[in-house]
Amino acid sequence: MNWKFWQKRNDTAPKKKKTKGKEWFDAIIFAVIAATVIRVFFIEAYTIPTGSMEKSLLIGDFLFVSKVNYGARIPMTPVAFPFAHHTMPVTGTKAYWDGVQWKYRRLPGMQDIKRNDVVVFNFPDGDTVALEAQDRDYYEMVRSVGREAIRSQYTIVSRPVDKRENYIKRCIGISGDIMSMSNGLVSVNGKAEPMKRTGQIDYTVKFKTSDVNFQLFEDMGFIIERDIMAISQDSYNFIGTPDQMEQVRKLDFVTSVTTRTAAPDAAEPSVFPQDPNRKWNADNWGPIQIPKKGWTVKLDSNSMPLYKRAIEVYEGNKLEKSGSGWLINGLKTDSYTFKMNYFWMMGDNRHNSLDSRYWGFVPEDHVVGKALFIWMSYDTNGSFFNKIRWSRIFRGIH
């Protein structure tokens, strides 16, 4: 038999052509893989759902968030449905399988997190969630009415780090910083840090007359009945930025402009670290030292309320009280050395933000990426022809 003849015939035989269905299937698989790689390691789109970052970021802003700047986080829950975060869009079931969990790793980044960066991260308190009330902090609900009451009313689930809800805030303090706040003014390492031009807080504005043209304030960027509310006949509560309030202060019919903050001794039980011995509130708290990788803290009754959750939950240790001291993983100790860096995140809309003042530190393994720019902005309250905020498209985030 002429084997060369058969080999040549086999080599020159026409190859079977792919069907249209097979071509479409291959194209879809390739597109899904490519989009997933881009989303995980390079850049991802996010939407602003709340007003906690006004006036920097508005509800309806669509952002691109870089995974490259701080280094892309290797997926910790690798078995997951593409393009779904933690819940399937139609069925409402889990979009991942937590039977396989990888330890935290991150690729080298272009920079470290700096103060005033706008950062996307996984919600630290989101390890436990009441499914029917996902917009509320489970631990705050427990503190309000008790664990048994919550578990009897809601479906409770646990989520791995990278499948917790995504939050966006401004980094106010980095690892090792000593933070405090007095009358709404943040101090970092003993130096006062006034809000930048986009940060806003409540003010009391007193007028010389009750006959005021409020259109003037709309021209300044205020929204009547949202940013301006009557307190008395001649006094109003304003929510505004420092630049806006400086304009208000210059008006000849304005008597005074003062920040409207809680009294220093008005304890707010929901404020971190929810310690009855600390009479803190959202406008007055601290000092707090943010943990840094390699930093050793002495464990006692003063420090433990601040660092207990970081040691036990974020860094995965078994922590037990033993007489007047503590056991960590069964060993008696009076100190702990942190394995990760932590950060302090706050919203620019200081009196309308659920942030580190309520749940404490953000561990580095929760960091998703750096917000880069707004690629689209859509005002759901605008008129039919004016819903797109054209001036915000492709606007950088500062």
Side-chain angles (χ1 to χ4, degrees), residues 198-258:
T198 54
Q200 62 180 19
I201 201 169
D202 288 58
Y203 296 81
T204 298
V205 177
K206 190 171 183 179
F207 298 141
K208 297 176 182 177
T209 174
S210 59
D211 185 19
V212 176
N213 179 11
F214 283 90
Q215 180 61 46
L216 179 63
F217 298 118
E218 288 187 348
D219 295 341
M220 292 180 183
F222 293 99
I223 297 176
I224 308 301
E225 295 185 1
R226 190 199 72 173
D227 297 335
I228 303 175
M229 300 289 288
I231 301 173
S232 64
Q233 187 175 0
D234 61 353
S235 296
Y236 286 77
N237 185 79
F238 276 61
I239 303 173
T241 67
D243 287 351
Q244 284 180 311
M245 300 314 298
E246 188 59 34
Q247 294 181 60
V248 173
R249 189 176 279 108
K250 292 177 180 178
L251 297 174
D252 57 8
F253 58 84
V254 171
T255 301
S256 62
V257 176
T258 56

Coordinates of all heavy atoms in Angstrom, one line a residue, residues 198-258:
T198 N -15.6 69.9 47.8 CA -16.7 69.1 47.5 C -17.4 68.5 48.7 O -18.4 67.9 48.6 CB -16.4 68.0 46.5 OG1 -15.3 67.2 47.0 CG2 -16.0 68.6 45.1
G199 N -16.7 68.5 49.9 CA -17.3 68.0 51.1 C -18.4 68.9 51.6 O -18.3 70.1 51.5
Q200 N -19.4 68.3 52.2 CA -20.5 69.1 52.7 C -21.0 68.6 54.1 O -20.9 67.4 54.4 CB -21.7 69.1 51.7 CG -22.4 67.8 51.5 CD -23.5 68.0 50.5 OE1 -23.6 69.0 49.8 NE2 -24.4 67.0 50.5
I201 N -21.5 69.6 54.9 CA -22.0 69.3 56.2 C -23.2 70.2 56.5 O -23.5 71.1 55.7 CB -20.8 69.5 57.2 CG1 -21.1 68.8 58.5 CG2 -20.6 71.0 57.4 CD1 -19.9 68.7 59.4
D202 N -23.8 70.1 57.6 CA -25.0 71.0 58.0 C -24.5 72.3 58.6 O -23.5 72.3 59.4 CB -25.9 70.3 59.0 CG -26.7 69.1 58.3 OD1 -26.1 68.2 57.7 OD2 -27.9 69.2 58.3
Y203 N -25.2 73.4 58.3 CA -24.9 74.7 58.9 C -26.2 75.3 59.3 O -27.3 75.1 58.7 CB -24.2 75.6 57.8 CG -22.9 75.2 57.3 CD1 -22.8 74.2 56.3 CD2 -21.7 75.7 57.8 CE1 -21.5 73.8 55.9 CE2 -20.5 75.4 57.4 CZ -20.4 74.4 56.4 OH -19.1 74.0 55.9
T204 N -26.1 76.2 60.3 CA -27.3 77.0 60.7 C -27.0 78.4 60.2 O -26.0 79.0 60.5 CB -27.4 77.1 62.2 OG1 -27.7 75.7 62.7 CG2 -28.6 78.0 62.6
V205 N -27.9 78.9 59.3 CA -27.8 80.2 58.8 C -28.9 81.1 59.3 O -30.1 80.7 59.2 CB -27.9 80.2 57.2 CG1 -27.9 81.6 56.6 CG2 -26.8 79.3 56.6
K206 N -28.6 82.2 59.9 CA -29.5 83.1 60.5 C -29.6 84.4 59.6 O -28.6 85.0 59.3 CB -29.1 83.5 61.9 CG -30.2 84.3 62.7 CD -29.9 84.4 64.1 CE -31.0 85.1 64.9 NZ -30.7 85.3 66.3
F207 N -30.9 84.7 59.2 CA -31.1 85.9 58.4 C -31.5 87.1 59.2 O -32.1 87.0 60.3 CB -32.2 85.6 57.4 CG -31.9 84.5 56.4 CD1 -32.9 83.6 56.0 CD2 -30.6 84.3 55.9 CE1 -32.6 82.5 55.2 CE2 -30.3 83.3 55.0 CZ -31.3 82.4 54.7
K208 N -31.3 88.3 58.7 CA -31.7 89.5 59.3 C -33.2 89.8 59.0 O -33.8 90.6 59.7 CB -30.9 90.7 58.7 CG -29.4 90.6 59.1 CD -28.6 91.8 58.4 CE -27.1 91.7 58.7 NZ -26.4 92.7 58.0
T209 N -33.7 89.2 58.0 CA -35.1 89.4 57.6 C -35.7 88.1 57.2 O -35.0 87.1 56.8 CB -35.2 90.4 56.5 OG1 -36.6 90.5 56.0 CG2 -34.3 90.0 55.3
S210 N -37.0 88.0 57.3 CA -37.7 86.8 56.8 C -38.1 86.9 55.3 O -38.5 85.9 54.7 CB -39.0 86.6 57.6 OG -39.9 87.7 57.5
D211 N -37.9 88.1 54.7 CA -38.2 88.3 53.3 C -36.9 88.0 52.5 O -36.1 88.8 52.2 CB -38.6 89.7 53.1 CG -39.1 89.9 51.6 OD1 -39.4 89.0 50.9 OD2 -39.1 91.1 51.2
V212 N -36.8 86.7 52.1 CA -35.6 86.2 51.4 C -35.9 85.6 50.1 O -36.9 84.9 49.9 CB -34.8 85.2 52.3 CG1 -33.6 84.6 51.5 CG2 -34.4 85.8 53.6
N213 N -35.2 86.0 49.0 CA -35.4 85.4 47.7 C -34.5 84.1 47.6 O -33.3 84.2 47.4 CB -34.9 86.4 46.6 CG -35.1 85.9 45.2 OD1 -35.7 84.8 45.0 ND2 -34.5 86.6 44.3
F214 N -35.2 83.0 47.7 CA -34.5 81.7 47.7 C -34.0 81.3 46.3 O -33.2 80.4 46.2 CB -35.3 80.6 48.3 CG -35.4 80.7 49.8 CD1 -36.4 81.4 50.5 CD2 -34.5 80.1 50.6 CE1 -36.5 81.5 51.8 CE2 -34.5 80.1 52.0 CZ -35.5 80.9 52.6
Q215 N -34.4 82.0 45.3 CA -33.9 81.7 44.0 C -32.4 81.9 43.9 O -31.6 81.3 43.2 CB -34.6 82.6 42.9 CG -34.1 82.3 41.5 CD -34.3 80.9 41.0 OE1 -35.4 80.4 41.2 NE2 -33.3 80.4 40.4
L216 N -31.9 82.9 44.8 CA -30.5 83.2 44.8 C -29.7 82.0 45.3 O -28.6 81.7 44.7 CB -30.3 84.4 45.8 CG -28.9 84.8 46.1 CD1 -28.3 85.4 44.8 CD2 -28.8 85.9 47.2
F217 N -30.3 81.2 46.2 CA -29.6 80.0 46.7 C -29.6 78.9 45.6 O -28.6 78.1 45.5 CB -30.2 79.5 48.0 CG -30.0 80.6 49.1 CD1 -31.2 81.1 49.7 CD2 -28.8 81.0 49.5 CE1 -31.0 82.1 50.7 CE2 -28.7 81.9 50.5 CZ -29.8 82.5 51.1
E218 N -30.7 78.8 44.9 CA -30.7 77.8 43.8 C -29.6 78.1 42.8 O -29.0 77.2 42.2 CB -32.1 77.8 43.1 CG -33.2 77.2 44.0 CD -34.5 77.0 43.2 OE1 -34.6 77.6 42.1 OE2 -35.4 76.3 43.7
D219 N -29.4 79.4 42.5 CA -28.3 79.8 41.6 C -27.0 79.4 42.1 O -26.0 79.2 41.3 CB -28.4 81.3 41.3 CG -29.7 81.7 40.6 OD1 -30.3 80.8 40.0 OD2 -30.0 82.9 40.7
M220 N -26.8 79.3 43.4 CA -25.6 78.8 44.0 C -25.4 77.3 44.0 O -24.3 76.8 44.4 CB -25.5 79.3 45.5 CG -25.4 80.8 45.7 SD -25.3 81.2 47.5 CE -25.3 83.0 47.4
G221 N -26.4 76.6 43.6 CA -26.3 75.1 43.6 C -27.1 74.4 44.7 O -27.1 73.2 44.7
F222 N -27.8 75.1 45.5 CA -28.6 74.5 46.6 C -29.9 74.0 46.0 O -30.5 74.6 45.0 CB -28.9 75.4 47.7 CG -27.7 75.8 48.5 CD1 -27.1 77.1 48.3 CD2 -27.2 75.0 49.5 CE1 -26.0 77.4 49.0 CE2 -26.1 75.4 50.3 CZ -25.5 76.6 50.0
I223 N -30.5 72.9 46.6 CA -31.8 72.4 46.2 C -32.8 72.7 47.4 O -32.6 72.2 48.5 CB -31.8 70.9 45.9 CG1 -30.9 70.7 44.7 CG2 -33.2 70.4 45.6 CD1 -30.7 69.2 44.4
I224 N -33.8 73.6 47.1 CA -34.7 74.0 48.1 C -35.5 72.7 48.6 O -35.8 71.8 47.9 CB -35.7 75.0 47.6 CG1 -34.9 76.2 46.9 CG2 -36.6 75.5 48.7 CD1 -34.0 76.9 47.8
E225 N -35.7 72.7 49.9 CA -36.4 71.6 50.6 C -35.6 70.3 50.7 O -36.1 69.3 51.3 CB -37.8 71.4 50.0 CG -38.7 72.5 50.2 CD -40.1 72.2 49.7 OE1 -40.4 71.1 49.3 OE2 -41.0 73.1 49.8
R226 N -34.4 70.3 50.2 CA -33.5 69.2 50.4 C -32.2 69.7 51.1 O -31.8 69.2 52.2 CB -33.1 68.5 49.1 CG -32.4 67.2 49.4 CD -31.6 66.7 48.2 NE -30.4 67.5 47.9 CZ -29.5 67.2 47.0 NH1 -29.6 66.2 46.2 NH2 -28.4 68.0 46.8
D227 N -31.6 70.8 50.5 CA -30.4 71.4 51.1 C -30.7 72.5 52.1 O -29.9 72.9 52.8 CB -29.5 71.9 50.0 CG -29.0 70.8 49.1 OD1 -28.9 69.6 49.5 OD2 -28.7 71.1 47.9
I228 N -32.0 73.1 52.0 CA -32.3 74.2 52.8 C -33.7 73.9 53.5 O -34.7 73.7 52.8 CB -32.4 75.5 52.0 CG1 -31.1 75.8 51.3 CG2 -32.8 76.7 52.9 CD1 -31.2 77.0 50.4
M229 N -33.7 73.9 54.8 CA -34.9 73.6 55.6 C -35.1 74.6 56.7 O -34.1 74.9 57.4 CB -34.9 72.2 56.2 CG -34.7 71.0 55.1 SD -36.2 70.8 54.2 CE -37.3 70.1 55.4
A230 N -36.3 75.1 57.0 CA -36.5 76.1 58.0 C -36.4 75.5 59.4 O -36.8 74.3 59.7 CB -37.9 76.6 57.8
I231 N -35.7 76.2 60.3 CA -35.6 75.8 61.7 C -36.6 76.7 62.5 O -37.3 76.3 63.4 CB -34.2 76.0 62.2 CG1 -33.2 75.1 61.4 CG2 -34.1 75.7 63.7 CD1 -31.8 75.4 61.7
S232 N -36.5 78.0 62.2 CA -37.4 79.0 62.9 C -37.7 80.1 61.8 O -37.4 79.9 60.6 CB -36.7 79.6 64.1 OG -35.6 80.3 63.7
Q233 N -38.3 81.2 62.3 CA -38.8 82.2 61.3 C -37.6 82.8 60.6 O -37.7 83.1 59.4 CB -39.5 83.3 62.1 CG -40.1 84.3 61.1 CD -41.0 85.3 61.9 OE1 -41.2 85.3 63.1 NE2 -41.6 86.3 61.2
D234 N -36.4 83.0 61.3 CA -35.3 83.6 60.6 C -34.1 82.7 60.5 O -33.0 83.2 60.1 CB -34.9 84.9 61.3 CG -34.5 84.7 62.8 OD1 -34.7 83.5 63.2 OD2 -34.1 85.6 63.4
S235 N -34.2 81.5 60.9 CA -33.0 80.5 60.8 C -33.3 79.3 60.0 O -34.5 78.8 60.0 CB -32.6 80.1 62.2 OG -32.2 81.2 63.0
Y236 N -32.3 78.8 59.2 CA -32.5 77.7 58.3 C -31.3 76.8 58.5 O -30.2 77.2 58.8 CB -32.6 78.2 56.9 CG -33.9 78.8 56.5 CD1 -34.2 80.1 56.9 CD2 -34.9 78.1 55.8 CE1 -35.4 80.7 56.6 CE2 -36.1 78.7 55.6 CZ -36.4 80.0 56.0 OH -37.6 80.6 55.7
N237 N -31.6 75.5 58.2 CA -30.5 74.5 58.2 C -30.1 74.4 56.7 O -30.9 74.0 55.8 CB -31.0 73.1 58.7 CG -29.9 72.1 58.7 OD1 -29.0 72.1 59.6 ND2 -29.8 71.2 57.7
F238 N -28.8 74.6 56.4 CA -28.2 74.5 55.1 C -27.3 73.3 55.1 O -26.5 73.0 56.0 CB -27.4 75.7 54.7 CG -28.2 76.9 54.2 CD1 -29.2 77.5 54.9 CD2 -28.0 77.4 52.9 CE1 -29.9 78.6 54.4 CE2 -28.7 78.5 52.4 CZ -29.7 79.1 53.2
I239 N -27.4 72.5 54.0 CA -26.4 71.5 53.7 C -25.6 71.9 52.5 O -26.1 72.1 51.4 CB -27.0 70.1 53.4 CG1 -28.0 69.7 54.5 CG2 -26.0 69.0 53.1 CD1 -28.8 68.4 54.2
G240 N -24.3 72.2 52.8 CA -23.5 72.8 51.7 C -22.0 72.5 51.9 O -21.5 72.0 52.9
T241 N -21.3 72.9 50.8 CA -19.8 72.8 50.8 C -19.2 74.1 51.4 O -19.9 75.1 51.5 CB -19.3 72.6 49.4 OG1 -19.5 73.9 48.7 CG2 -20.0 71.5 48.7
P242 N -17.9 74.0 51.8 CA -17.3 75.2 52.4 C -17.4 76.4 51.4 O -17.6 77.6 51.8 CB -15.9 74.8 52.6 CG -16.0 73.3 52.9 CD -17.1 72.8 52.0
D243 N -17.2 76.1 50.1 CA -17.2 77.2 49.1 C -18.6 77.8 49.0 O -18.8 79.1 48.9 CB -16.8 76.7 47.7 CG -15.3 76.4 47.6 OD1 -14.6 76.8 48.6 OD2 -14.9 75.8 46.6
Q244 N -19.6 77.0 49.0 CA -21.0 77.5 49.0 C -21.3 78.3 50.2 O -21.9 79.4 50.1 CB -22.0 76.3 48.9 CG -22.1 75.6 47.6 CD -23.1 74.5 47.6 OE1 -23.1 73.6 48.5 NE2 -24.0 74.5 46.6
M245 N -20.9 77.9 51.3 CA -21.3 78.6 52.6 C -20.5 79.9 52.7 O -21.0 80.8 53.3 CB -21.0 77.7 53.8 CG -21.8 76.4 53.8 SD -23.6 76.6 53.4 CE -24.1 77.7 54.7
E246 N -19.3 80.0 52.1 CA -18.6 81.2 52.1 C -19.4 82.3 51.2 O -19.4 83.4 51.6 CB -17.2 81.0 51.5 CG -16.3 82.2 51.6 CD -16.1 82.6 53.0 OE1 -16.0 81.8 54.0 OE2 -15.9 83.9 53.2
Q247 N -20.0 81.8 50.2 CA -20.8 82.7 49.4 C -22.0 83.2 50.2 O -22.4 84.4 50.2 CB -21.3 82.1 48.1 CG -20.3 81.7 47.1 CD -20.9 81.0 45.9 OE1 -21.7 81.6 45.2 NE2 -20.4 79.8 45.6
V248 N -22.6 82.3 50.9 CA -23.8 82.6 51.8 C -23.4 83.6 52.8 O -24.1 84.6 53.1 CB -24.4 81.3 52.4 CG1 -25.5 81.7 53.4 CG2 -25.0 80.4 51.3
R249 N -22.2 83.4 53.4 CA -21.8 84.3 54.5 C -21.6 85.7 54.1 O -21.7 86.6 54.9 CB -20.4 83.7 55.1 CG -20.0 84.3 56.4 CD -18.7 83.7 56.9 NE -19.0 82.5 57.6 CZ -18.8 81.2 57.2 NH1 -18.2 81.0 56.0 NH2 -19.1 80.2 58.0
K250 N -21.3 85.9 52.8 CA -21.0 87.3 52.3 C -22.3 88.1 52.0 O -22.2 89.3 51.7 CB -20.2 87.2 51.0 CG -18.7 86.7 51.3 CD -18.0 86.5 50.0 CE -16.6 86.0 50.2 NZ -15.8 85.8 48.9
L251 N -23.5 87.4 52.0 CA -24.7 88.1 51.6 C -25.1 89.1 52.7 O -24.9 88.8 53.9 CB -25.8 87.0 51.5 CG -25.6 86.0 50.3 CD1 -26.7 85.0 50.4 CD2 -25.6 86.8 49.0
D252 N -25.5 90.3 52.3 CA -25.7 91.3 53.3 C -26.9 91.1 54.2 O -27.1 91.7 55.3 CB -25.9 92.7 52.6 CG -27.0 92.7 51.6 OD1 -27.8 91.7 51.5 OD2 -27.1 93.7 50.8
F253 N -27.8 90.2 53.9 CA -29.0 89.9 54.7 C -28.8 88.7 55.6 O -29.7 88.2 56.3 CB -30.3 89.7 53.9 CG -30.2 88.6 52.9 CD1 -30.4 87.2 53.2 CD2 -29.8 88.8 51.6 CE1 -30.3 86.2 52.3 CE2 -29.7 87.8 50.6 CZ -30.0 86.5 51.0
V254 N -27.5 88.1 55.7 CA -27.2 87.0 56.5 C -26.5 87.5 57.8 O -25.5 88.2 57.7 CB -26.3 86.0 55.8 CG1 -25.7 84.9 56.7 CG2 -27.0 85.3 54.6
T255 N -27.0 87.1 58.9 CA -26.5 87.5 60.2 C -25.3 86.6 60.6 O -24.2 87.1 61.0 CB -27.5 87.5 61.3 OG1 -28.6 88.3 61.0 CG2 -26.9 87.9 62.7
S256 N -25.4 85.3 60.5 CA -24.4 84.4 60.9 C -24.5 83.1 60.2 O -25.6 82.7 59.7 CB -24.4 84.2 62.4 OG -25.7 83.6 62.8
V257 N -23.4 82.4 60.1 CA -23.3 81.0 59.5 C -22.4 80.2 60.4 O -21.3 80.5 60.6 CB -22.7 81.0 58.1 CG1 -22.6 79.5 57.6 CG2 -23.6 81.8 57.1
T258 N -23.0 79.1 61.0 CA -22.3 78.3 62.0 C -22.5 76.8 61.6 O -23.6 76.4 61.2 CB -22.7 78.5 63.4 OG1 -24.1 78.3 63.5 CG2 -22.4 79.9 63.9

